[in-house]
């Protein structure tokens, strides 16, 4: 959808945050669009370096190694993601919980962090946030921001694109997506269709994060499990459900997708509280829309 | 914010979301301009020897797909390499920029023609692509360029970059000065 035929869309993709991140800008002259996209990718690269579970130098790795010993000062972005994560944990009674990294490691979905003490049944309640962007853990804990950082990155990227003058932009961080602009973007929802019609989301000025509980990894001698965990039950979320959450900010959509995945229709009130809604499909059942019902484009 | 769920015929979507469709991000020339703005590049293609291939595979732990190395020397210093990795089913071409010390300056995906996530294993999903060609694109007013719900891993790309860094160390570093 070209807003201005003189300025063709510019779209680029780079590997960050463990996935493919693509950014599309429409309506800007090519050189300006490339400058804007380069700036947005620079923000995403910075978030990748701060919040990577794999990189020993990231804030997340430093926290996993040392925050149980003493308070650690982190980058304001890491602090802000942790503060948001705590808010989602509180509101969902721990269904969303960044400390599920211990389970993800034991199930072979994340590598064992080097030089970090074995976690001791800690939860999000053991994370303490202090002034000056300092963070401490009350007991040894492994956190992973993989369930929220992509949404945060899409938000930051769109802000940067907007500052650079982009009026229409789409940032897609591995399926966590933010659309800036009034023209609806059509997004295919990756759920197998039984009929000859496929579900497509039309989204303007907002974000979507989708999850299908596709089995990612076979675990020897253990039950099949999808990529999501119900933090309060410390058990895998249903593997045959499809959920996508729509919210204004992508960080909200990203985090609440995990709750909607685990809790299904029970997450309705929580979604409403964050002005978010979810499209939900369970096998053999109709599509459901739950949560906040939006008014026309605000 | 505004959203609605609609249902569209698979025939049109198949072209946009499936392996019959490729998202082209950048041409090789565009990637050079993006990664080395204002610089000129000189093609210096190489053919790896059997020994070099073995050494690269040994040091990187990544399989070498081709002996042909598409490499350019950059006027301002540094290297520009175009290579590809195998995704789940298709080749993914990408460009790697190295500075004059061999450190990664940038990675750009040139094209993506991967089927997304798990639905490739779904026979119903695969069936859509049989006998389709580019003209079927017209069935859908505008193409669908994004898919949500199936997080793609970029491990094969980071493996490819790793392999090229080893290739630089073993092959390009000595010869490039």
């Amino acid at each position: 959808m070209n807003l201005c035929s003189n300025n063709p869309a510019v779209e680029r993709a780079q590997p960050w945050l463990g996935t493919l991140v693509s950014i599309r800008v429409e309506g800007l002259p090519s050189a300006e669009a490339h400058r804007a996209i380069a700036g947005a990718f620079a923000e995403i690269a910075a978030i990748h370096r701060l919040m990577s579970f794999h990189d020993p130098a990231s804030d997340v790795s430093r926290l996993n190694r040392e925050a149980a010993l003493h308070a650690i000062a982190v980058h304001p972005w890491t602090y802000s993601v942790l503060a948001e994560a705590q808010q989602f944990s509180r509101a969902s009674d721990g269904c969303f919980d960044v400390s599920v990294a211990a389970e993800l490691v034991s199930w072979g979905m994340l590598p064992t962090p080097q030089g970090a003490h074995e976690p001791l049944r800690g939860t999000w309640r053991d994370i303490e946030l202090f002034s000056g962007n300092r963070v401490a853990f009350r007991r040894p804990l492994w956190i992973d921001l993989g369930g929220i950082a992509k949404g945060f990155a899409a938000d930051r990227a769109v802000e940067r694109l907007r500052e650079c003058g982009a009026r229409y932009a789409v940032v897609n961080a591995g399926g966590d997506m933010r659309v800036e602009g009034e023209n609806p973007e059509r997004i295919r929802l990756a759920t197998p269709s039984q009929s000859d019609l496929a579900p497509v989301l039309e989204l303007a000025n907002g974000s979507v994060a989708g999850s299908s509980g596709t089995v990612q990894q076979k675990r020897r001698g253990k039950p099949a499990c999808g990529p999501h965990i119900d933090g309060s039950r410390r058990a895998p979320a249903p593997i045959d459900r499809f959920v996508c959450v729509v919210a204004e900010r992508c960080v909200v959509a990203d985090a609440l997708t995990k709750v909607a995945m685990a809790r299904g229709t029970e997450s309705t009130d929580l979604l409403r509280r964050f002005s978010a809604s979810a499209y939900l499909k369970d096998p053999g059942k109709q599509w459901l829309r739950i949560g906040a019902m939006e008014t026309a484009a605000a | 914010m505004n959203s609605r769920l609609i249902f569209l015929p698979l025939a049109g979507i198949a072209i946009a979301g499936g392996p019959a469709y490729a998202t082209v991000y950048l041409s090789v020339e565009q990637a050079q301009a993006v990664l080395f703005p204002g610089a000129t590049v000189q093609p210096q293609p190489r053919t790896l020897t059997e020994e070099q291939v073995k050494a690269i595979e040994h040091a990187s732990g990544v399989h070498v797909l081709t002996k042909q190395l598409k490499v350019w020397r950059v006027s301002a210093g540094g290297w520009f390499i175009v290579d590809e990795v195998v995704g789940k089913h298709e080749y993914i071409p990408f460009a790697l920029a190295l500075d004059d010390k061999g450190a990664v300056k940038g990675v750009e995906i040139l094209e993506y023609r991967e089927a997304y996530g798990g639905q490739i294993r779904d026979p119903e999903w695969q069936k859509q692509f049989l006998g389709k060609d580019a003209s079927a694109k017209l069935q859908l007013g505008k193409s669908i360029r994004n898919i949500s719900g199936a997080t793609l891993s970029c491990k094969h790309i980071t493996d490819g970059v790793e392999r090229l860094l080893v290739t630089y160390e073993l092959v390009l570093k000595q010869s490039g000065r």
Side-chain angles (χ1 to χ4, degrees):
Chain A
M1 110 197 46
N2 286 329
L3 299 181
C4 174
S5 54
N6 297 329
N7 295 321
V10 175
E11 188 172 20
R12 277 162 59 184
Q14 297 181 2
W16 293 113
L17 304 163
T19 189
L20 206 62
V21 181
S22 68
I23 300 180
R24 187 168 100 242
V25 166
E26 295 186 13
L28 279 186
S30 171
E32 279 177 47
H34 275 291
R35 237 189 330 270
I37 291 174
F41 272 127
E43 308 254 305
I44 292 169
I47 293 164
H48 172 101
R49 280 188 282 271
L50 291 168
M51 303 181 202
S52 162
F53 187 84
H54 302 78
D55 179 357
S58 73
D59 275 355
V60 165
S61 294
R62 285 171 51 231
L63 288 169
N64 286 339
R65 277 196 308 268
E66 297 169 42
L69 307 172
H70 51 87
I72 302 279
V74 295
H75 190 279
W77 289 354
T78 312
Y79 190 86
S80 135
V81 168
L82 279 169
E84 295 235 42
Q86 290 293 83
Q87 193 194 346
F88 296 126
S89 298
R90 233 183 329 269
S92 68
D93 201 23
C95 182
F96 179 85
D97 187 342
V98 294
S99 77
V100 295
E103 275 74 16
L104 294 171
V105 169
S106 72
W107 296 346
M109 290 179 176
L110 284 176
T112 306
Q114 295 303 304
H117 290 281
E118 283 283 325
L120 293 168
R121 284 202 297 266
T123 70
W124 63 277
R125 290 187 176 84
D126 298 306
I127 301 172
E128 292 184 288
L129 302 179
F130 302 110
S131 60
N133 298 320
R134 289 175 314 125
V135 182
F137 297 162
R138 290 203 184 92
R139 61 175 88 194
L141 212 62
W142 290 349
I143 62 161
D144 170 38
L145 299 182
I148 187 168
K150 287 194 278 291
F152 180 80
D155 288 336
R156 290 288 323 177
V158 159
E159 269 171 50
R160 183 66 182 264
L161 295 170
R162 210 190 280 150
E163 286 163 16
C164 294
R167 293 286 164 269
Y168 190 86
V170 180
V171 176
N172 183 351
D176 296 343
M177 222 172 296
R178 179 150 174 177
V179 178
E180 169 78 9
E182 297 292 336
N183 280 347
E185 172 80 4
R186 284 182 170 179
I187 300 149
R188 165 91 164 95
L189 302 183
T191 172
S193 284
Q194 309 309 321
S195 71
D196 56 353
L197 292 176
V200 172
L201 185 76
E202 282 195 333
L203 176 69
N205 267 327
S207 303
V208 62
S211 272
S212 51
T214 315
V215 180
Q216 286 205 325
Q217 204 161 341
K218 285 204 179 90
R219 300 177 303 150
R220 203 177 289 265
K222 294 180 181 172
C225 118
H228 304 292
I229 289 187
D230 180 336
S232 55
R233 294 176 192 145
R234 298 276 155 166
I239 59 167
D240 44 9
R241 172 176 285 163
F242 177 89
V243 156
C244 72
V245 171
V246 175
E248 190 179 329
R249 291 187 304 137
C250 200
V251 72
V252 176
D254 194 5
L256 294 188
T257 299
K258 282 76 194 178
V259 181
M261 192 72 193
R263 297 280 168 87
T265 52
E266 287 171 39
S267 56
T268 302
D269 290 344
L270 179 73
L271 290 163
R272 280 205 192 110
R273 207 175 331 156
F274 288 95
S275 304
S277 57
Y279 297 92
L280 182 80
K281 175 85 172 74
D282 279 320
K285 294 191 178 163
Q286 295 286 318
W287 280 90
L288 278 182
R289 178 163 183 196
I290 57 172
M293 293 299 139
E294 305 141 48
T295 50
Chain B
M1 182 180 61
N2 201 9
S3 78
R4 69 180 179 130
L5 188 65
I6 56 174
F7 293 86
L8 295 176
L10 278 179
I13 290 174
I15 298 307
Y21 176 85
T23 301
V24 178
Y25 296 111
L26 296 172
S27 67
V28 169
E29 292 72 25
Q30 284 171 328
Q32 285 170 347
V34 160
L35 289 163
F36 292 103
T40 56
V41 294
Q42 186 72 38
Q44 291 191 2
R46 313 289 168 95
T47 304
L48 300 174
T49 65
E50 204 59 57
E51 290 71 38
Q52 285 170 327
V53 168
K54 273 190 196 135
I56 292 164
E57 290 184 339
H58 181 74
S60 68
V62 183
H63 183 61
V64 174
L65 291 171
T66 170
K67 288 180 182 167
Q68 307 306 319
L69 201 57
K70 286 184 230 166
V71 75
W72 287 257
R73 193 81 173 102
V74 181
S75 61
W79 300 90
F80 176 83
I81 307 174
V82 169
D83 205 297
E84 50 192 11
V85 291
V86 187
K88 268 206 180 90
H89 302 276
E90 307 272 340
Y91 287 101
I92 304 170
F94 69 98
L96 171 69
L98 299 178
D99 66 17
D100 52 1
K101 297 197 170 58
V104 175
K105 201 167 149 10
V107 178
E108 294 281 342
I109 309 301
L110 301 181
E111 256 179 63
Y112 197 85
R113 45 182 170 229
E114 189 70 275
Y116 285 74
Q119 71 275 71
I120 191 77
R121 281 180 236 104
D122 174 12
E124 284 303 311
W125 175 261
Q126 289 175 329
K127 233 189 315 183
Q128 314 159 49
F129 305 113
L130 298 175
K132 294 289 188 316
D133 62 38
S135 65
K137 237 183 204 174
L138 300 173
Q139 291 177 20
L140 200 67
K142 65 189 164 186
S143 66
I144 294 177
R145 302 176 70 87
N146 287 300
I147 300 206
S148 185
T151 306
L152 312 160
S153 163
C154 67
K155 183 162 190 312
H156 37 259
I157 297 162
T158 43
D159 281 351
V161 170
E162 192 57 39
R163 170 170 53 74
L164 289 180
L165 286 174
V166 169
T167 308
Y168 165 81
E169 281 296 325
L170 295 179
V171 181
L172 298 178
K173 198 174 176 181
Q174 305 91 320
S175 66
R177 296 179 193 271

PDB file of all heavy atoms in Angstrom, chain A residues 162-187:
ATOM      1  N   ARG A 162       9.304   7.149  13.896  1.00  0.00           N
ATOM      2  CA  ARG A 162       8.419   8.314  13.955  1.00  0.00           C
ATOM      3  C   ARG A 162       9.248   9.592  14.089  1.00  0.00           C
ATOM      4  O   ARG A 162       8.992  10.589  13.429  1.00  0.00           O
ATOM      5  CB  ARG A 162       7.489   8.154  15.160  1.00  0.00           C
ATOM      6  CG  ARG A 162       6.145   8.810  14.986  1.00  0.00           C
ATOM      7  CD  ARG A 162       5.397   8.807  16.286  1.00  0.00           C
ATOM      8  NE  ARG A 162       4.768   7.529  16.586  1.00  0.00           N
ATOM      9  CZ  ARG A 162       4.561   7.086  17.821  1.00  0.00           C
ATOM     10  NH1 ARG A 162       4.953   7.785  18.873  1.00  0.00           N
ATOM     11  NH2 ARG A 162       3.969   5.929  18.020  1.00  0.00           N
ATOM     12  N   GLU A 163      10.257   9.550  14.964  1.00  0.00           N
ATOM     13  CA  GLU A 163      11.140  10.721  15.130  1.00  0.00           C
ATOM     14  C   GLU A 163      11.813  11.089  13.808  1.00  0.00           C
ATOM     15  O   GLU A 163      12.128  12.247  13.569  1.00  0.00           O
ATOM     16  CB  GLU A 163      12.240  10.422  16.165  1.00  0.00           C
ATOM     17  CG  GLU A 163      11.759  10.401  17.601  1.00  0.00           C
ATOM     18  CD  GLU A 163      12.753   9.714  18.532  1.00  0.00           C
ATOM     19  OE1 GLU A 163      13.926   9.529  18.146  1.00  0.00           O
ATOM     20  OE2 GLU A 163      12.335   9.334  19.637  1.00  0.00           O
ATOM     21  N   CYS A 164      12.057  10.065  12.979  1.00  0.00           N
ATOM     22  CA  CYS A 164      12.719  10.316  11.696  1.00  0.00           C
ATOM     23  C   CYS A 164      11.711  10.713  10.612  1.00  0.00           C
ATOM     24  O   CYS A 164      12.057  10.774   9.435  1.00  0.00           O
ATOM     25  CB  CYS A 164      13.485   9.074  11.244  1.00  0.00           C
ATOM     26  SG  CYS A 164      14.861   8.664  12.312  1.00  0.00           S
ATOM     27  N   GLY A 165      10.473  10.908  10.985  1.00  0.00           N
ATOM     28  CA  GLY A 165       9.501  11.429  10.032  1.00  0.00           C
ATOM     29  C   GLY A 165       8.635  10.387   9.348  1.00  0.00           C
ATOM     30  O   GLY A 165       7.828  10.722   8.482  1.00  0.00           O
ATOM     31  N   ALA A 166       8.780   9.102   9.714  1.00  0.00           N
ATOM     32  CA  ALA A 166       7.973   8.067   9.069  1.00  0.00           C
ATOM     33  C   ALA A 166       6.520   8.173   9.553  1.00  0.00           C
ATOM     34  O   ALA A 166       6.272   8.255  10.751  1.00  0.00           O
ATOM     35  CB  ALA A 166       8.534   6.693   9.381  1.00  0.00           C
ATOM     36  N   ARG A 167       5.598   8.175   8.626  1.00  0.00           N
ATOM     37  CA  ARG A 167       4.184   8.234   8.992  1.00  0.00           C
ATOM     38  C   ARG A 167       3.538   6.857   8.868  1.00  0.00           C
ATOM     39  O   ARG A 167       2.503   6.596   9.449  1.00  0.00           O
ATOM     40  CB  ARG A 167       3.438   9.232   8.088  1.00  0.00           C
ATOM     41  CG  ARG A 167       3.838  10.667   8.279  1.00  0.00           C
ATOM     42  CD  ARG A 167       3.276  11.252   9.583  1.00  0.00           C
ATOM     43  NE  ARG A 167       3.967  12.486   9.941  1.00  0.00           N
ATOM     44  CZ  ARG A 167       5.050  12.523  10.722  1.00  0.00           C
ATOM     45  NH1 ARG A 167       5.539  11.419  11.252  1.00  0.00           N
ATOM     46  NH2 ARG A 167       5.647  13.663  10.999  1.00  0.00           N
ATOM     47  N   TYR A 168       4.121   6.010   8.030  1.00  0.00           N
ATOM     48  CA  TYR A 168       3.615   4.641   7.938  1.00  0.00           C
ATOM     49  C   TYR A 168       4.784   3.677   8.048  1.00  0.00           C
ATOM     50  O   TYR A 168       5.737   3.752   7.275  1.00  0.00           O
ATOM     51  CB  TYR A 168       2.856   4.399   6.630  1.00  0.00           C
ATOM     52  CG  TYR A 168       2.157   3.065   6.678  1.00  0.00           C
ATOM     53  CD1 TYR A 168       0.883   2.952   7.238  1.00  0.00           C
ATOM     54  CD2 TYR A 168       2.811   1.907   6.268  1.00  0.00           C
ATOM     55  CE1 TYR A 168       0.277   1.722   7.367  1.00  0.00           C
ATOM     56  CE2 TYR A 168       2.200   0.670   6.398  1.00  0.00           C
ATOM     57  CZ  TYR A 168       0.931   0.589   6.946  1.00  0.00           C
ATOM     58  OH  TYR A 168       0.344  -0.641   7.091  1.00  0.00           O
ATOM     59  N   ALA A 169       4.731   2.799   9.039  1.00  0.00           N
ATOM     60  CA  ALA A 169       5.841   1.864   9.252  1.00  0.00           C
ATOM     61  C   ALA A 169       5.315   0.581   9.872  1.00  0.00           C
ATOM     62  O   ALA A 169       4.321   0.591  10.600  1.00  0.00           O
ATOM     63  CB  ALA A 169       6.883   2.491  10.170  1.00  0.00           C
ATOM     64  N   VAL A 170       5.965  -0.515   9.558  1.00  0.00           N
ATOM     65  CA  VAL A 170       5.647  -1.794  10.188  1.00  0.00           C
ATOM     66  C   VAL A 170       6.956  -2.405  10.678  1.00  0.00           C
ATOM     67  O   VAL A 170       7.907  -2.543   9.915  1.00  0.00           O
ATOM     68  CB  VAL A 170       4.981  -2.771   9.189  1.00  0.00           C
ATOM     69  CG1 VAL A 170       4.666  -4.091   9.878  1.00  0.00           C
ATOM     70  CG2 VAL A 170       3.712  -2.166   8.606  1.00  0.00           C
ATOM     71  N   VAL A 171       6.998  -2.732  11.963  1.00  0.00           N
ATOM     72  CA  VAL A 171       8.158  -3.419  12.528  1.00  0.00           C
ATOM     73  C   VAL A 171       7.697  -4.804  12.942  1.00  0.00           C
ATOM     74  O   VAL A 171       6.731  -4.946  13.684  1.00  0.00           O
ATOM     75  CB  VAL A 171       8.717  -2.660  13.753  1.00  0.00           C
ATOM     76  CG1 VAL A 171       9.871  -3.439  14.379  1.00  0.00           C
ATOM     77  CG2 VAL A 171       9.164  -1.262  13.359  1.00  0.00           C
ATOM     78  N   ASN A 172       8.366  -5.817  12.446  1.00  0.00           N
ATOM     79  CA  ASN A 172       7.996  -7.198  12.750  1.00  0.00           C
ATOM     80  C   ASN A 172       9.183  -7.914  13.378  1.00  0.00           C
ATOM     81  O   ASN A 172      10.166  -8.209  12.717  1.00  0.00           O
ATOM     82  CB  ASN A 172       7.572  -7.914  11.454  1.00  0.00           C
ATOM     83  CG  ASN A 172       7.101  -9.339  11.708  1.00  0.00           C
ATOM     84  OD1 ASN A 172       7.237  -9.862  12.818  1.00  0.00           O
ATOM     85  ND2 ASN A 172       6.559  -9.970  10.682  1.00  0.00           N
ATOM     86  N   ALA A 173       9.101  -8.136  14.684  1.00  0.00           N
ATOM     87  CA  ALA A 173      10.177  -8.831  15.389  1.00  0.00           C
ATOM     88  C   ALA A 173       9.742 -10.279  15.608  1.00  0.00           C
ATOM     89  O   ALA A 173       9.212 -10.622  16.654  1.00  0.00           O
ATOM     90  CB  ALA A 173      10.493  -8.139  16.715  1.00  0.00           C
ATOM     91  N   GLY A 174       9.921 -11.095  14.588  1.00  0.00           N
ATOM     92  CA  GLY A 174       9.580 -12.509  14.697  1.00  0.00           C
ATOM     93  C   GLY A 174       8.119 -12.762  15.023  1.00  0.00           C
ATOM     94  O   GLY A 174       7.802 -13.659  15.797  1.00  0.00           O
ATOM     95  N   GLY A 175       7.218 -11.970  14.431  1.00  0.00           N
ATOM     96  CA  GLY A 175       5.787 -12.186  14.662  1.00  0.00           C
ATOM     97  C   GLY A 175       5.192 -11.246  15.698  1.00  0.00           C
ATOM     98  O   GLY A 175       3.979 -11.157  15.820  1.00  0.00           O
ATOM     99  N   ASP A 176       6.046 -10.560  16.463  1.00  0.00           N
ATOM    100  CA  ASP A 176       5.581  -9.491  17.350  1.00  0.00           C
ATOM    101  C   ASP A 176       5.699  -8.211  16.543  1.00  0.00           C
ATOM    102  O   ASP A 176       6.792  -7.820  16.153  1.00  0.00           O
ATOM    103  CB  ASP A 176       6.436  -9.395  18.612  1.00  0.00           C
ATOM    104  CG  ASP A 176       6.337 -10.646  19.463  1.00  0.00           C
ATOM    105  OD1 ASP A 176       5.385 -11.418  19.253  1.00  0.00           O
ATOM    106  OD2 ASP A 176       7.197 -10.849  20.327  1.00  0.00           O
ATOM    107  N   MET A 177       4.558  -7.567  16.308  1.00  0.00           N
ATOM    108  CA  MET A 177       4.523  -6.573  15.255  1.00  0.00           C
ATOM    109  C   MET A 177       3.878  -5.289  15.719  1.00  0.00           C
ATOM    110  O   MET A 177       2.902  -5.320  16.456  1.00  0.00           O
ATOM    111  CB  MET A 177       3.647  -7.151  14.145  1.00  0.00           C
ATOM    112  CG  MET A 177       4.154  -6.945  12.764  1.00  0.00           C
ATOM    113  SD  MET A 177       3.100  -7.900  11.668  1.00  0.00           S
ATOM    114  CE  MET A 177       3.424  -9.565  12.199  1.00  0.00           C
ATOM    115  N   ARG A 178       4.413  -4.176  15.258  1.00  0.00           N
ATOM    116  CA  ARG A 178       3.752  -2.896  15.535  1.00  0.00           C
ATOM    117  C   ARG A 178       3.535  -2.162  14.224  1.00  0.00           C
ATOM    118  O   ARG A 178       4.456  -2.035  13.418  1.00  0.00           O
ATOM    119  CB  ARG A 178       4.583  -2.055  16.494  1.00  0.00           C
ATOM    120  CG  ARG A 178       3.923  -0.732  16.774  1.00  0.00           C
ATOM    121  CD  ARG A 178       4.235  -0.195  18.144  1.00  0.00           C
ATOM    122  NE  ARG A 178       3.681   1.148  18.285  1.00  0.00           N
ATOM    123  CZ  ARG A 178       3.746   1.852  19.383  1.00  0.00           C
ATOM    124  NH1 ARG A 178       4.325   1.351  20.446  1.00  0.00           N
ATOM    125  NH2 ARG A 178       3.234   3.061  19.442  1.00  0.00           N
ATOM    126  N   VAL A 179       2.324  -1.706  14.030  1.00  0.00           N
ATOM    127  CA  VAL A 179       1.959  -0.982  12.811  1.00  0.00           C
ATOM    128  C   VAL A 179       1.730   0.476  13.183  1.00  0.00           C
ATOM    129  O   VAL A 179       0.924   0.782  14.061  1.00  0.00           O
ATOM    130  CB  VAL A 179       0.660  -1.559  12.185  1.00  0.00           C
ATOM    131  CG1 VAL A 179       0.273  -0.763  10.945  1.00  0.00           C
ATOM    132  CG2 VAL A 179       0.830  -3.033  11.867  1.00  0.00           C
ATOM    133  N   GLU A 180       2.453   1.367  12.527  1.00  0.00           N
ATOM    134  CA  GLU A 180       2.300   2.796  12.758  1.00  0.00           C
ATOM    135  C   GLU A 180       1.614   3.386  11.531  1.00  0.00           C
ATOM    136  O   GLU A 180       2.147   3.297  10.427  1.00  0.00           O
ATOM    137  CB  GLU A 180       3.689   3.417  12.973  1.00  0.00           C
ATOM    138  CG  GLU A 180       3.746   4.919  12.967  1.00  0.00           C
ATOM    139  CD  GLU A 180       3.258   5.532  14.273  1.00  0.00           C
ATOM    140  OE1 GLU A 180       3.041   4.771  15.232  1.00  0.00           O
ATOM    141  OE2 GLU A 180       3.088   6.760  14.314  1.00  0.00           O
ATOM    142  N   GLY A 181       0.431   3.931  11.714  1.00  0.00           N
ATOM    143  CA  GLY A 181      -0.263   4.533  10.575  1.00  0.00           C
ATOM    144  C   GLY A 181      -1.719   4.098  10.516  1.00  0.00           C
ATOM    145  O   GLY A 181      -2.112   3.099  11.128  1.00  0.00           O
ATOM    146  N   GLU A 182      -2.508   4.890   9.801  1.00  0.00           N
ATOM    147  CA  GLU A 182      -3.949   4.656   9.748  1.00  0.00           C
ATOM    148  C   GLU A 182      -4.342   3.529   8.804  1.00  0.00           C
ATOM    149  O   GLU A 182      -5.397   2.926   8.960  1.00  0.00           O
ATOM    150  CB  GLU A 182      -4.663   5.939   9.271  1.00  0.00           C
ATOM    151  CG  GLU A 182      -4.514   7.143  10.208  1.00  0.00           C
ATOM    152  CD  GLU A 182      -5.251   6.919  11.522  1.00  0.00           C
ATOM    153  OE1 GLU A 182      -6.195   6.111  11.555  1.00  0.00           O
ATOM    154  OE2 GLU A 182      -4.866   7.554  12.521  1.00  0.00           O
ATOM    155  N   ASN A 183      -3.511   3.275   7.803  1.00  0.00           N
ATOM    156  CA  ASN A 183      -3.860   2.245   6.823  1.00  0.00           C
ATOM    157  C   ASN A 183      -3.686   0.863   7.423  1.00  0.00           C
ATOM    158  O   ASN A 183      -2.603   0.526   7.883  1.00  0.00           O
ATOM    159  CB  ASN A 183      -2.962   2.351   5.592  1.00  0.00           C
ATOM    160  CG  ASN A 183      -3.419   3.444   4.669  1.00  0.00           C
ATOM    161  OD1 ASN A 183      -4.529   3.960   4.814  1.00  0.00           O
ATOM    162  ND2 ASN A 183      -2.566   3.813   3.735  1.00  0.00           N
ATOM    163  N   PRO A 184      -4.742   0.054   7.413  1.00  0.00           N
ATOM    164  CA  PRO A 184      -4.599  -1.255   8.045  1.00  0.00           C
ATOM    165  C   PRO A 184      -3.614  -2.159   7.301  1.00  0.00           C
ATOM    166  O   PRO A 184      -3.610  -2.218   6.070  1.00  0.00           O
ATOM    167  CB  PRO A 184      -6.007  -1.830   8.016  1.00  0.00           C
ATOM    168  CG  PRO A 184      -6.801  -0.974   7.119  1.00  0.00           C
ATOM    169  CD  PRO A 184      -6.084   0.310   6.903  1.00  0.00           C
ATOM    170  N   GLU A 185      -2.777  -2.811   8.066  1.00  0.00           N
ATOM    171  CA  GLU A 185      -1.843  -3.806   7.544  1.00  0.00           C
ATOM    172  C   GLU A 185      -2.520  -5.166   7.678  1.00  0.00           C
ATOM    173  O   GLU A 185      -3.165  -5.451   8.683  1.00  0.00           O
ATOM    174  CB  GLU A 185      -0.552  -3.763   8.366  1.00  0.00           C
ATOM    175  CG  GLU A 185       0.460  -4.853   8.074  1.00  0.00           C
ATOM    176  CD  GLU A 185       1.289  -4.572   6.825  1.00  0.00           C
ATOM    177  OE1 GLU A 185       1.128  -3.489   6.238  1.00  0.00           O
ATOM    178  OE2 GLU A 185       2.071  -5.453   6.447  1.00  0.00           O
ATOM    179  N   ARG A 186      -2.395  -5.985   6.639  1.00  0.00           N
ATOM    180  CA  ARG A 186      -2.974  -7.328   6.721  1.00  0.00           C
ATOM    181  C   ARG A 186      -1.908  -8.316   7.184  1.00  0.00           C
ATOM    182  O   ARG A 186      -0.829  -8.392   6.609  1.00  0.00           O
ATOM    183  CB  ARG A 186      -3.529  -7.753   5.377  1.00  0.00           C
ATOM    184  CG  ARG A 186      -4.843  -7.069   5.081  1.00  0.00           C
ATOM    185  CD  ARG A 186      -5.423  -7.518   3.775  1.00  0.00           C
ATOM    186  NE  ARG A 186      -6.787  -7.022   3.634  1.00  0.00           N
ATOM    187  CZ  ARG A 186      -7.532  -7.245   2.565  1.00  0.00           C
ATOM    188  NH1 ARG A 186      -7.057  -7.956   1.558  1.00  0.00           N
ATOM    189  NH2 ARG A 186      -8.751  -6.773   2.505  1.00  0.00           N
ATOM    190  N   ILE A 187      -2.212  -9.040   8.229  1.00  0.00           N
ATOM    191  CA  ILE A 187      -1.254  -9.961   8.836  1.00  0.00           C
ATOM    192  C   ILE A 187      -1.850 -11.358   8.868  1.00  0.00           C
ATOM    193  O   ILE A 187      -2.912 -11.582   9.452  1.00  0.00           O
ATOM    194  CB  ILE A 187      -0.915  -9.502  10.270  1.00  0.00           C
ATOM    195  CG1 ILE A 187      -0.290  -8.093  10.251  1.00  0.00           C
ATOM    196  CG2 ILE A 187       0.012 -10.490  10.952  1.00  0.00           C
ATOM    197  CD1 ILE A 187      -0.579  -7.279  11.471  1.00  0.00           C
TER     198      ILE A 187
END
